[in-house]
Amino acid sequence: MAFKGYIDISRVLDRMLSGRLPTGVDRVVLAYMQRWGGASQALLQRGQWRRVMPYRESRRLFDLMLAPPSDFKAKVWRQIGQAVLPPWPSQVADDGFSFHLGQTGIDSPGFADWVTRSRQRPVFFVHDLLPLAHPEYFPANNAPVHARRIEAMLRLGVAIIANSADTREAITRFAHSR
């Protein structure tokens, strides 16, 4: 069976549209797009708005993001506009795994319902648990937010990918402490 997937590009797309440079998290998303984009569809979230993008528009959006042209913003908004105008594309994602690599919206209201309703099989990527291990280095509310994200990943995910053995062990300790 051929691979088919869904990649949540919300975080990196938002940063690119804002003119911000990619972080390590963003580079992970871009690497997944580079490797799996030809067999994947984009997932987009902004607040309570969430969509499974059609394959053709996803492919074009991935290409734009991997090699941004000078008129990047205009072309991105055109692709998104074409994807969300009627007729509505299918919002069912039951042929593959959905990769949530940047942790966008995982703890927000409606996320779990969207994942269930669209029949996603979510795979989450955990970059670290530093806000929980060293909250003194993060904004005051970061630790509880990160804890809610990890709890949602454990509850909703069919799999979790850890970036290292240390992160995997930290997730295991976190899961057993709940």
Side-chain angles (χ1 to χ4, degrees):
M1 176 165 85
F3 173 83
K4 181 178 180 186
Y6 302 85
I7 303 172
D8 188 335
I9 62 170
S10 306
R11 181 183 193 279
V12 68
L13 181 59
D14 182 59
R15 291 183 60 83
M16 291 176 79
L17 288 169
S18 300
R20 292 179 281 176
L21 295 173
T23 65
V25 171
D26 301 326
R27 287 190 291 276
V28 169
V29 177
L30 292 167
Y32 271 70
M33 287 170 45
Q34 178 74 38
R35 175 62 179 94
W36 302 108
S40 298
Q41 289 173 243
L43 300 175
L44 287 178
Q45 302 182 63
R46 186 157 190 106
Q48 297 300 306
W49 184 88
R50 297 174 173 98
R51 291 290 181 269
V52 177
M53 300 283 286
Y55 176 79
R56 185 179 70 194
E57 285 77 11
S58 295
R59 182 71 245 143
R60 289 178 182 157
L61 196 52
F62 294 155
D63 290 344
L64 287 170
M65 292 173 70
L66 292 170
S70 59
D71 57 347
F72 174 74
K73 287 182 184 181
K75 287 186 175 181
V76 164
W77 288 119
R78 191 174 312 119
Q79 282 309 126
I80 292 172
Q82 290 174 354
V84 299
L85 294 175
W88 289 98
S90 172
Q91 293 300 295
V92 176
D94 60 358
D95 286 347
F97 294 98
S98 59
F99 291 90
H100 298 271
L101 311 165
Q103 302 176 3
T104 298
I106 292 171
D107 62 320
S108 68
F111 180 82
D113 181 56
W114 175 58
V115 166
T116 302
R117 190 177 60 250
S118 59
R119 293 186 272 192
Q120 294 182 40
R121 294 187 300 171
V123 175
F124 297 102
F125 192 107
V126 178
H127 301 269
D128 59 58
L129 273 71
L130 289 175
L132 303 177
H134 301 285
E136 66 273 17
Y137 297 117
F138 295 88
N141 69 339
N142 203 287
V145 169
H146 203 63
R148 285 193 306 271
R149 288 179 183 152
I150 301 299
E151 288 167 352
M153 291 178 199
L154 292 168
R155 187 177 64 255
L156 298 169
V158 296
I160 293 178
I161 300 170
N163 71 338
S164 68
D166 286 341
T167 300
R168 183 187 67 230
E169 290 170 16
I171 295 166
T172 302
R173 283 192 305 275
F174 179 88
H176 289 304
S177 74
R178 295 301 194 221

